Amino acid sequence: MLDTICDVLKAAYDRNWISTRDGNASFRRKNEPYLYVTPSGVRKQHLNAEMMIKLQMHDLNTGDDLNTSLSKIERVDDDYQRKIIGLNPTGELPLHFLLQKNLPVNNRVVLHLHPTYIVSAMYAGIDLQKLATDFPEINRYTKVGPSVPMIPPVSEELAWASIKALGLDPVTGELEYDIIGLDRHGVVAISKDPWSAFEDIERLEHICKMALASGKHLK
């Protein structure tokens, strides 16, 4: 699974959905207290599974606030990672932690990218959720949630706003939507495997490209 996450991020880079050091992802298996996240500032075209950072999450259901919960996360480094100087978790760790805190029955992958046409569509004032209802290419397979307004990246505020937009049930861990847009920032897509999350982004990117090409938003 970690190799696949690296492949997906490389594919995103090849499609210009991220620049070389952008984008991040996480993975958690059901019934395991470990969270795997991408490192911060690493060139995605050179990312490999050994560079993914393994974190051990304790006391997930104590009702602690976010900062307290994050402070309880312990890093589980192997010998290889200890040799890599300055390899730290992505700055979007609050987002990944909250989305991975309570899992449903399946594994979960969280993928955050910056696709060109999705970001452009939001910047042009297009409502992604409404747009998705007009195109069967996406609404048959992918549930698009409401977009998050402009909020500074790597912030706790962005993490909580994304949780709300995705419709996360705090008890069951289930999500109402597969993907949401982040205004002037990108998307968050969630699925049980990396390529499924990638495909949700691909579908939304495709219809945003068509919508922008139509010029309908300019009328």
Side-chain angles (χ1 to χ4, degrees):
M1 187 71 77
L2 299 183
D3 284 322
T4 306
I5 287 175
C6 295
D7 289 342
V8 162
L9 286 168
K10 290 172 185 175
Y13 174 77
D14 289 341
R15 291 186 177 221
N16 295 315
W17 291 358
I18 53 174
S19 58
T20 184
R21 297 183 192 271
D22 290 342
N24 44 78
S26 67
F27 168 63
R28 190 174 177 207
R29 292 186 180 91
K30 61 179 181 179
N31 302 322
E32 285 192 6
Y34 301 114
L35 175 65
Y36 296 86
V37 297
T38 48
S40 175
V42 171
R43 292 184 176 91
K44 296 307 183 291
Q45 65 269 45
H46 299 151
L47 185 68
N48 59 63
E50 288 77 13
M51 298 170 75
M52 296 286 289
I53 295 175
K54 183 179 181 181
L55 304 172
Q56 187 163 18
M57 304 167 72
H58 293 298
D59 300 318
L60 297 181
N61 300 302
T62 60
D64 292 332
D65 61 33
L66 181 57
N67 287 333
T68 302
S69 296
L70 289 174
S71 71
K72 292 180 179 182
I73 295 181
E74 297 180 7
R75 184 165 170 172
V76 184
D77 284 331
D78 59 21
D79 290 337
Y80 179 79
Q81 286 189 338
R82 275 193 286 269
K83 294 176 183 177
I84 301 178
I85 305 302
L87 197 64
N88 296 310
T90 171
E92 296 288 5
L93 182 59
L95 173 68
H96 291 280
F97 171 81
L98 288 175
L99 286 169
Q100 300 280 18
K101 184 177 178 181
N102 297 318
L103 288 186
V105 295
N106 294 317
N107 301 334
R108 174 168 288 169
V109 171
V110 177
L111 186 60
H112 169 50
L113 303 175
H114 309 153
T116 303
Y117 292 104
I118 297 175
V119 176
S120 297
M122 286 186 286
Y123 193 60
I126 294 174
D127 183 328
L128 300 182
Q129 190 175 39
K130 182 178 183 300
L131 180 68
T133 63
D134 295 335
F135 288 82
E137 293 86 350
I138 187 168
N139 62 43
R140 292 177 59 198
Y141 309 105
T142 300
K143 294 176 290 184
V144 179
S147 296
V148 174
M150 177 57 186
I151 297 175
V154 303
S155 66
E156 181 177 339
E157 183 183 2
L158 177 63
W160 285 114
S162 299
I163 297 303
K164 182 178 179 180
L166 284 159
L168 176 70
D169 187 312
V171 176
T172 66
E174 295 287 350
L175 293 154
E176 186 175 357
Y177 301 108
D178 302 313
I179 185 171
I180 57 169
L182 310 178
D183 184 24
R184 279 163 280 184
H185 187 180
V187 296
V188 176
I190 299 173
S191 192
K192 62 183 179 180
D193 67 84
W195 282 117
S196 293
F198 182 94
E199 288 173 13
D200 286 331
I201 297 173
E202 184 179 41
R203 291 187 189 103
L204 185 54
E205 175 81 343
H206 185 56
I207 66 167
C208 285
K209 185 175 182 179
M210 290 189 288
L212 290 167
S214 75
K216 187 176 180 179
H217 62 289
L218 300 175
K219 297 177 181 179

